[in-house]
Amino acid sequence: EDYYWDVLKHTYTCDGSVTIETQTKYVTKVTANHLDTKNNHNVHGLLIVHQRDLETFPRGIHEHFRNLRGIDFEGCGLTSISSNDLMHLPHLLQVSLDDNKIVELPHDLFVHNPKIQRIDLEGNPLLHIGSTIFKPLPDLRSVFMRHTSCTSENSLAFNHQEIKNLEWEILIECPATYE
């Protein structure tokens, strides 16, 4: 399937679901819909949408999809995410975690993903965000944070100055619990 990703342009993506071991939260099985000539190795964008039982980021997903440039885990029930979850995905350009249950984002969330250019976090009940969360992202071009608990309705940023303004809003309205 060719799916338009803002940053990736036209790229091969995969709609899928994951089976996770209850104790370790580690991916034990991936179900993916591929075109006839494609497989997990060809996937640059992974969409796991409305799999509401995830709660935590699927550990080991990088072992099934080694070439990921974009992830979209919309409405999956994620309650948390950390830099360790994203550590094995250093080539990410686009991250979408819209409509989950994430309350806190640590300041070092993207420290292993310096290539990220677009972040979507809309619809999460965010209360605390590390004030330097965007610092390791020199190429960040857009951030979508509308409909969260601590940012304004118009929390969209499409350039460097708007991202700086959003950082100030985060600093004031979404104070970190630790850094």
Side-chain angles (χ1 to χ4, degrees), residues 57-108:
F57 193 85
R59 293 188 180 126
I61 196 77
H62 65 282
E63 294 176 11
H64 299 272
F65 300 98
R66 297 192 182 275
N67 295 308
L68 287 179
R69 302 293 183 268
I71 56 172
D72 185 343
F73 294 153
E74 180 181 337
C76 289
L78 296 177
T79 58
S80 65
I81 187 165
S82 74
S83 62
N84 288 338
D85 295 327
L86 300 177
M87 179 181 355
H88 299 292
L89 301 170
H91 303 294
L92 285 179
L93 299 173
Q94 187 165 332
V95 174
S96 179
L97 302 171
D98 292 341
D99 299 320
N100 281 288
K101 299 175 183 177
I102 301 169
V103 175
E104 183 172 347
L105 298 172
H107 72 282
D108 64 347

Side-chain angles (χ1 to χ4, degrees), residues 7-21:
V7 172
L8 302 178
K9 304 300 178 207
H10 293 280
T11 190
Y12 182 68
T13 66
C14 173
D15 294 336
S17 63
V18 294
T19 303
I20 297 182
E21 200 280 320

Side-chain angles (χ1 to χ4, degrees), residues 31-44:
T31 304
N33 298 318
H34 291 295
L35 296 175
D36 290 340
T37 61
K38 305 286 187 178
N39 59 42
N40 287 359
H41 181 74
N42 303 112
V43 174
H44 286 170

Side-chain angles (χ1 to χ4, degrees), residues 17-29:
S17 63
V18 294
T19 303
I20 297 182
E21 200 280 320
T22 308
Q23 295 296 321
T24 64
K25 306 297 183 189
Y26 206 82
V27 175
T28 57
K29 179 181 175 188

Side-chain angles (χ1 to χ4, degrees), residues 92-140:
L92 285 179
L93 299 173
Q94 187 165 332
V95 174
S96 179
L97 302 171
D98 292 341
D99 299 320
N100 281 288
K101 299 175 183 177
I102 301 169
V103 175
E104 183 172 347
L105 298 172
H107 72 282
D108 64 347
L109 180 59
F110 301 117
V111 73
H112 302 293
N113 316 98
K115 298 178 183 180
I116 290 177
Q117 297 176 23
R118 177 180 170 150
I119 299 170
D120 298 300
L121 296 165
E122 295 183 329
N124 281 287
L126 292 169
L127 296 173
H128 307 288
I129 302 173
S131 61
T132 58
I133 191 168
F134 303 135
K135 188 173 184 173
L137 307 175
D139 298 325
L140 187 61

